[in-house]
Amino acid sequence: MKKTVLLSGITLLLLLFACRRKGDENLKNGGLTKEMLRDSTKVVFSQIEYDFDTIQEGQIVEHYFTFKNIGDKNLYIANAYGSCGCTVPEYPKEPVTPGSEGRIKVTFNSAGKEGPQNKTITLIMNTANRNELLYMKGFVRKKGS
């Protein structure tokens, strides 16, 4: 009985360690798996910077960045994040096939912001650069002015 419990405990620990190591490796690569890293592709954006001009504090700006997979492998977006919590990207979770287009929706919430704004959106993709950057900029006028 003691041997069975001990053996079960050791097996469980080994399984947990093995799963954790795989997760650590994916985190180190920004969420890209070995398969995604092996199958690098090319992407082109119709624009990488969007200027929302001048808005009133509290307004929300939404913009779609469109892109095309111009490589010969599936394009994977493993993660996307803004330079602050006020800038939130939404991206395709499914692979984008060669020759296909996709889009990234970025929402900027100007609540509590004032003055010039320069936001960066980082995309973790299976491209040569691994990190592709998009930008949103503009000016937020103080509420009531």
Side-chain angles (χ1 to χ4, degrees):
M1 177 71 175
K2 287 182 182 180
K3 286 182 183 179
T4 304
V5 171
L6 182 60
L7 220 52
S8 297
I10 290 172
T11 303
L12 181 62
L13 284 174
L14 288 173
L15 286 172
L16 288 173
F17 182 76
C19 291
R20 182 173 184 270
R21 298 300 305 162
K22 182 178 180 186
D24 288 349
E25 185 177 310
N26 285 349
L27 284 176
K28 184 172 55 179
N29 294 319
L32 295 170
T33 65
K34 284 183 182 180
E35 294 78 25
M36 291 176 189
L37 289 167
R38 182 186 67 233
D39 294 337
S40 183
T41 192
K42 297 176 184 175
V43 66
V44 64
F45 284 86
S46 58
Q47 69 178 134
I48 62 167
E49 182 177 277
Y50 175 67
D51 186 343
F52 57 81
D53 200 29
T54 301
I55 61 172
Q56 188 77 28
E57 179 187 354
Q59 281 185 277
I60 294 175
V61 175
E62 291 181 353
H63 181 71
Y64 290 90
F65 290 92
T66 58
F67 63 89
K68 185 173 184 175
N69 178 356
I70 60 170
D72 59 357
K73 305 279 193 248
N74 282 341
L75 173 68
Y76 297 96
I77 303 174
N79 200 356
Y81 53 90
S83 53
C84 72
C86 63
T87 308
V88 180
E90 295 176 37
Y91 59 96
K93 306 297 191 265
E94 298 298 318
V96 179
T97 58
S100 295
E101 294 186 350
R103 59 189 195 161
I104 312 284
K105 177 183 176 185
V106 180
T107 304
F108 169 68
N109 185 345
S110 68
K113 304 291 181 196
E114 183 181 334
Q117 302 296 312
N118 292 293
K119 305 301 176 188
T120 304
I121 300 91
T122 303
L123 306 170
I124 310 298
M125 308 170 97
N126 64 320
T127 57
N129 294 335
R130 301 288 181 242
N131 294 338
E132 301 293 334
L133 301 176
L134 303 173
Y135 305 93
M136 283 184 83
K137 69 178 185 174
F139 188 85
V140 178
R141 197 172 42 239
K142 186 175 181 173
K143 201 170 199 170
S145 60

